[in-house]
Amino acid sequence: MSMPSALIGFAFFKGVAKHIDFPFTPVENVLVQTVAGALGTMPLGCGFVGVMPALNYMLKPEENGPLVLGLGKLIIWSLGICFFGVVFAVPLRKEVIIREKLKFPSGTATALMIGVLHGDKEQAGVVRHESGLETFRRRSQDLVRSSSMAGIPPCGAGGVGQDEATPSTYPETDEPNEQGLGLDHRSDWKAKIRLLVIAFALSAIYTLMSYFIPHLRKLPIFGLSLATNWLWTLNPSPAYIGQGIIMGPATTLHMLLGAVVGWGILSPLAKRKGWAPGPVGDWTSGSKGWIVWVSLAIMLADSVISLGWLILRPLLFHGPGNLAELRDLARKRNWKEIFGSYKSKGYTALNVTEPSTRLTHTTSHTNHSRRSTNNNTSKQSLATDSDKDIPDEDAPPEHLISNTTVAISLLLSIVLCILAIHLTFGALIPLYATLLSILLALLLSVMGVRALGETDLNPVSGISKLTQLFFALLIPASSKNAVIINLLAGAVSESGALQAGDMMQDLKTGHLLGAAPKAQFYGQLIGSFVGAFVSAGVYKLYTNVYEVPGELFQVPTGYVWVFTARLVTGKGLPVMAWQWALGAGVVFAVGTGVRIWGAGTRWHAWVPGGIAVAVGMYNVPSFTLARTIGGLLNWYWRSYRRREETPIIVLASGLILGEGVMSIMNLLLAGLHIPHL
């Protein structure tokens, strides 16, 4: 969400630059993408793609369902859970960004793209140096949103970070170089905006055509028999392809593996053996509902192993050293150093204007940069080994969020969450369960933020599943509200982890580009506040116009939520489902352990990731195939053609934006009952 938001904001404000009185610099671009990203994540953060459909349409009468909520209650619910994760992320910033300097690869990549878009060659070099090629390779290998940066040569080969001073405009050439800096600044961003507009137009045209010709979303590319009997169709949705481009080849190919195993092997097997005798597409008696249990086991196994490692890793690697240091300080009675905090010595934004020789000299630098490079190697680094243990320079106090503001805001956001849940669901969920779900959300958010900083993967699905498992042990299965409580507790924990991770990625981008954390914090709150209203309204609009769940909106995530709740609360599984689920869980528990052990190796990406495989398994093949096309396009452009990332991100953003905007027109046409062809 961050990169498309930054790109669209850049395109808009550059287009109206002549009509505004203030400059649109990278700092303003960061603030725009912070607000837009916060608003865009609200449908997921407020549960409108999973929990709410499960509560509204999938609960059985014996589970006190279905729960039909009006627009007012949906807004109250959204406002209640959209703030506390944002506020809780603020005190984590100093630890994970300033002291530990975790990479947050998507936040770093967004800073890189903003620097390139604004034509700041030195700034692009700073961010690229800071992230390093390994950061981008890890983004692909760890099931993240983009693929390897192997196609981009080290800085210094393409004109970035050289000894000469940065010119005011880049020299014009017939073809851009690898860094996209061959054209002058104005021509470069005009070319990117032109690509964005073309992709937007093509995506919008297809989306409008798909309303009048619905079969465009179900192309039987493998033959009518497989399409009719086993649901193997292709939905060439531009948004799906764009999402696949951003995901990258590793994630999408692992999803494809899940689709092949689930829909090519397990689905026919369950049908033939009589374990799922109903229609293949039926969630209750068909193989679609049968294989979802296997995918759930895979997700749970991956989540338990991954989150367990996140807990054990700092204890194993840093615990003995920290304990020895504390003992030494206690022996010296240096209590002030134990309980004190690191104090900033100043702040300098990374978009500096001094000549780029500061980046390339091998001699020592001033305390503002504290970086050196090695001209004898192609892999350059901005920090020496001794600098790795020195905290980054932080923003000045007036740009930071005060501890008082954080404490008051966190208390108010928790109280608001409790009141909102009580007003929305009344006595269906007890007060102690609400308090415990918020506490778990805050604790698990710490693990989510750390995982995001190291791997670019925020394990929100695993966090929610672990919360559901915990509440299954707490709430008696005999309680009529057990499933509802389980769903709501998982929703609160997922929302908190998602918001905290989104905030931290944005803060990393702002830290690299010199944006004020205070401005980003308030921007995130504004985006979340507006997003609570918008997401609730759009959800109600779509559910009133379209059949949910239906052929167009199958909401498989909702079924995953409610099936998980039933599983952990002791509900019965289909025939032979638990045996296959157990076997798959064991296999992927081992596989996740192997991935953790082999992190950073060349073969790491070849070990399937549990979450990606499970997503490909419980979604119909048309969902996965289009994203795989996008992932392969990413691989072709960046690894095979060895080109720079920005154009492919521009293309993906245009495809996603075009379908998103035109879907509103399709919604209007459906509301007016305009017939299909």
Side-chain angles (χ1 to χ4, degrees):
M1 188 62 70
S2 295
M3 285 192 284
S5 299
L7 176 63
I8 295 166
F10 172 84
F12 175 80
F13 281 99
K14 280 297 182 180
V16 300
K18 295 180 180 179
H19 308 288
I20 55 179
D21 296 329
F22 55 87
F24 186 68
T25 70
V27 171
E28 283 77 26
N29 211 153
V30 169
L31 298 180
V32 167
Q33 69 92 15
T34 298
V35 177
L39 195 155
T41 56
M42 277 301 100
L44 180 60
C46 295
F48 290 118
V49 298
V51 173
M52 280 301 147
L55 291 170
N56 297 164
Y57 303 104
M58 302 171 190
L59 290 181
K60 300 176 181 179
E62 58 268 25
E63 297 167 338
N64 260 345
L67 292 178
V68 180
L69 302 177
L71 178 60
K73 286 193 173 183
L74 290 177
I75 292 175
I76 292 173
W77 156 261
S78 302
L79 289 173
I81 67 170
C82 73
F83 294 123
F84 70 91
V86 175
V87 179
F88 185 69
V90 173
L92 301 178
R93 173 184 173 274
K94 178 167 285 188
E95 177 62 30
V96 299
I97 292 179
I98 304 303
R99 291 175 177 165
E100 298 184 31
K101 293 181 281 190
L102 298 185
K103 293 298 183 182
F104 290 96
S106 284
T108 300
T110 302
L112 165 63
M113 190 182 73
I114 291 174
V116 172
L117 287 174
H118 286 265
D120 191 336
K121 185 166 69 169
E122 182 177 335
Q123 185 182 80
V126 168
V127 178
R128 186 175 284 115
H129 277 301
E130 175 73 13
S131 60
L133 298 181
E134 275 66 33
T135 294
F136 294 99
R137 291 194 182 103
R138 194 184 310 117
R139 293 173 63 220
S140 171
Q141 294 170 348
D142 290 329
L143 298 180
V144 296
R145 293 184 289 277
S146 67
S147 68
S148 170
M149 284 289 283
I152 297 182
C155 296
V160 178
Q162 299 299 310
D163 289 336
E164 70 273 8
T166 305
S168 58
T169 59
Y170 306 138
E172 292 190 11
T173 59
D174 293 335
E175 294 182 1
N177 61 21
E178 292 290 354
Q179 275 71 34
L181 300 173
L183 299 175
D184 64 29
H185 177 207
R186 187 172 181 83
S187 299
D188 196 31
W189 73 257
K190 278 188 174 181
K192 291 180 174 67
I193 292 178
R194 185 163 52 249
L195 176 60
L196 179 69
V197 171
I198 293 173
F200 176 92
L202 293 176
S203 178
I205 291 171
Y206 169 83
T207 304
L208 184 61
M209 290 176 57
S210 68
Y211 175 82
F212 294 102
I213 311 175
H215 290 292
L216 287 176
R217 294 190 177 274
K218 296 186 298 181
L219 301 181
I221 59 172
F222 299 110
L224 289 175
S225 176
L226 284 177
T228 304
N229 298 325
W230 304 107
L231 307 184
W232 277 94
T233 61
L234 170 66
N235 178 4
S237 160
Y240 285 2
I241 296 174
Q243 291 164 7
I245 290 173
I246 295 175
M247 289 176 178
T251 302
T252 53
L253 288 176
H254 293 168
M255 289 171 57
L256 180 63
L257 174 63
V260 171
V261 172
W263 295 92
I265 299 176
L266 294 182
S267 177
L269 180 65
K271 180 78 171 178
R272 184 170 302 172
K273 294 288 187 179
W275 304 333
V280 171
D282 188 85
W283 283 99
T284 304
S285 59
S287 56
K288 178 188 281 189
W290 190 88
I291 61 178
V292 75
W293 297 101
V294 180
S295 68
L296 280 176
I298 294 173
M299 282 194 289
L300 284 172
D302 184 280
S303 301
V304 170
I305 300 299
S306 298
L307 295 179
W309 174 245
L310 284 175
I311 296 173
L312 290 176
R313 182 183 177 185
L315 296 177
L316 293 175
F317 287 95
H318 305 294
N322 291 338
L323 183 59
E325 183 178 354
L326 287 175
R327 286 176 178 173
D328 185 56
L329 292 173
R331 194 179 300 115
K332 297 177 181 178
R333 300 184 181 275
N334 195 345
W335 307 110
K336 183 178 180 180
E337 187 171 347
I338 294 176
F339 297 104
S341 60
Y342 167 77
K343 294 184 178 180
S344 173
K345 298 179 180 179
Y347 174 72
T348 298
L350 290 187
N351 51 341
V352 291
T353 57
E354 288 85 349
S356 58
T357 53
R358 294 168 60 89
L359 299 178
T360 53
H361 289 167
T362 55
T363 59
S364 61
H365 294 275
T366 65
N367 288 334
H368 285 297
S369 63
R370 298 201 316 270
R371 291 171 171 86
S372 63
T373 56
N374 186 350
N375 290 327
N376 297 324
T377 60
S378 61
K379 275 188 169 183
Q380 301 181 3
S381 174
L382 285 177
T384 62
D385 291 338
S386 60
D387 288 335
K388 294 178 181 179
D389 297 326
I390 302 175
D392 272 356
E393 300 288 357
D394 203 352
E398 61 270 19
H399 289 173
L400 298 174
I401 307 100
S402 68
N403 292 333
T404 302
T405 301
V406 172
I408 295 175
S409 300
L410 185 60
L411 178 61
L412 291 177
S413 63
I414 291 175
V415 171
L416 178 62
C417 181
I418 294 171
L419 291 176
I421 293 177
H422 178 73
L423 290 174
T424 306
F425 299 100
L428 290 176
I429 177 170
L431 178 61
Y432 75 89
T434 303
L435 289 171
L436 190 56
S437 65
I438 295 173
L439 178 61
L440 279 176
L442 298 179
L443 294 176
L444 294 175
S445 293
V446 177
M447 292 190 294
V449 164
R450 183 168 294 280
L452 192 65
E454 295 176 352
T455 69
D456 207 30
L457 176 66
N458 192 348
V460 290
S461 60
I463 286 173
S464 63
K465 300 299 176 287
L466 288 178
T467 303
Q468 288 185 271
L469 182 61
F470 177 82
F471 270 82
L473 301 175
L474 181 68
I475 305 297
S478 58
S479 172
K480 195 173 183 180
N481 298 327
V483 173
I484 293 177
I485 295 172
N486 195 277
L487 290 172
L488 294 178
V492 171
S493 66
E494 181 181 67
S495 179
L498 182 68
Q499 295 163 26
D502 184 57
M503 183 73 206
M504 205 60 65
Q505 290 277 29
D506 292 340
L507 288 173
K508 179 66 174 184
T509 303
H511 176 67
L512 291 173
L513 296 176
K518 180 185 291 186
Q520 289 187 270
F521 172 67
Y522 290 120
Q524 188 92 2
L525 291 180
I526 292 171
S528 299
F529 178 77
V530 176
F533 289 91
V534 173
S535 57
V538 170
Y539 172 78
K540 203 64 178 176
L541 189 61
Y542 269 85
T543 53
N544 286 337
V545 172
Y546 294 104
E547 179 186 2
V548 179
E551 184 176 351
L552 184 59
F553 296 103
Q554 301 182 24
V555 287
T557 307
Y559 283 101
V560 170
W561 274 94
V562 75
F563 280 15
T564 303
R566 289 169 183 164
L567 170 65
V568 298
T569 53
K571 307 296 180 181
L573 276 70
V575 178
M576 289 297 295
W578 76 266
Q579 291 93 331
W580 281 88
L582 179 62
V586 171
V587 169
F588 277 89
V590 174
T592 302
V594 172
R595 283 178 59 82
I596 292 172
W597 176 68
T601 61
R602 302 185 67 176
W603 51 265
H604 178 267
W606 295 96
V607 181
I611 297 296
V613 171
V615 169
M617 189 175 291
Y618 72 71
N619 283 289
V620 292
S622 61
F623 174 93
T624 302
L625 292 175
R627 286 171 170 81
T628 304
I629 292 173
L632 293 176
L633 286 174
N634 183 304
W635 171 84
Y636 172 78
W637 179 259
R638 298 180 60 195
S639 296
Y640 184 78
R641 293 288 302 276
R642 297 183 176 275
R643 296 298 182 90
E644 178 258 336
E645 178 186 33
T646 304
I648 200 75
I649 295 297
V650 172
L651 173 65
S653 301
L655 295 176
I656 295 170
L657 184 64
E659 182 165 348
V661 171
M662 191 51 65
S663 294
I664 300 175
M665 176 62 70
N666 287 6
L667 178 65
L668 178 62
L669 294 174
L672 296 175
H673 303 288
I674 303 298
H676 304 294
L677 296 180

